[in-house]
Amino acid sequence: MLDDMNTPKGTGDLNGGAEWMPGADRRSDREVPLAAAKRQAAVHAWLDGEIAEDDPMLADTKGVELWRQVNLEASRRRDTRTPAYVEGRIMQSLPAGVPRIQAPANMDMETPLWRRTVQTTAARAMVIASGLVGLGAVLGALMRAR
């Protein structure tokens, strides 16, 4: 079932005493006036390259000049290059060898993880077992409560 969150049922003052009906004409409920929406569509069409700049619809829009400046700045930044000496300094500051992660001395890094033996103390094994038993008890109680 789809709840229509725009239905002001029980509040007749919002719609002139009549209830709002789905599919009713809602042009007066628009946030953006239709004339502004047409200009916006024209600006977007110009940005997409679908219409020419001298289109009369674009003559009175403020966004055209803004986007022209944005395009100029983007092309200027696109053409800038990092000087060669900066790249040289960055490369010189990097360490010469490939960094390696130091494993603990007692860990066997040659054997794959799934083939390694698990070594633990009796106390750690008891703590793990009691934790698993407690987790099972909690989950069982939750399932029984349903």
Side-chain angles (χ1 to χ4, degrees):
M1 185 169 120
L2 178 65
D3 290 334
D4 188 3
M5 303 305 282
N6 293 323
T7 305
K9 289 183 179 170
T11 55
D13 297 334
L14 293 177
N15 222 0
E19 284 194 20
W20 179 80
M21 299 296 289
D25 188 22
R26 296 181 62 192
R27 278 183 272 183
S28 63
D29 193 27
R30 296 181 58 87
E31 293 180 14
V32 179
L34 290 176
K38 287 180 184 178
R39 283 194 302 263
Q40 271 185 336
V43 170
H44 287 291
W46 172 72
L47 289 171
D48 293 337
E50 297 170 358
I51 60 174
E53 287 185 33
D54 54 353
D55 190 9
M57 185 66 106
L58 297 174
D60 60 345
T61 60
K62 300 174 186 174
V64 174
E65 187 58 36
L66 168 74
W67 286 107
R68 187 175 289 134
Q69 292 297 324
V70 168
N71 286 335
L72 286 172
E73 182 69 19
S75 65
R76 184 183 68 78
R77 289 180 183 237
R78 198 176 305 121
D79 294 337
T80 55
R81 302 279 181 234
T82 304
Y85 70 90
V86 174
E87 183 181 352
R89 285 185 187 171
I90 292 171
M91 296 308 286
Q92 286 175 355
S93 68
L94 295 176
V98 177
R100 291 191 52 131
I101 298 173
Q102 294 294 329
N106 61 353
M107 186 177 285
D108 179 22
M109 296 301 289
E110 301 300 323
T111 308
L113 182 64
W114 59 90
R115 293 187 184 228
R116 293 184 196 158
T117 58
V118 178
Q119 297 175 352
T120 186
T121 62
R124 189 179 293 169
M126 290 181 70
V127 168
I128 291 172
S130 64
L132 289 174
V133 167
L135 180 65
V138 168
L139 289 176
L142 288 175
M143 293 304 222
R144 213 174 312 128
R146 284 183 158 197

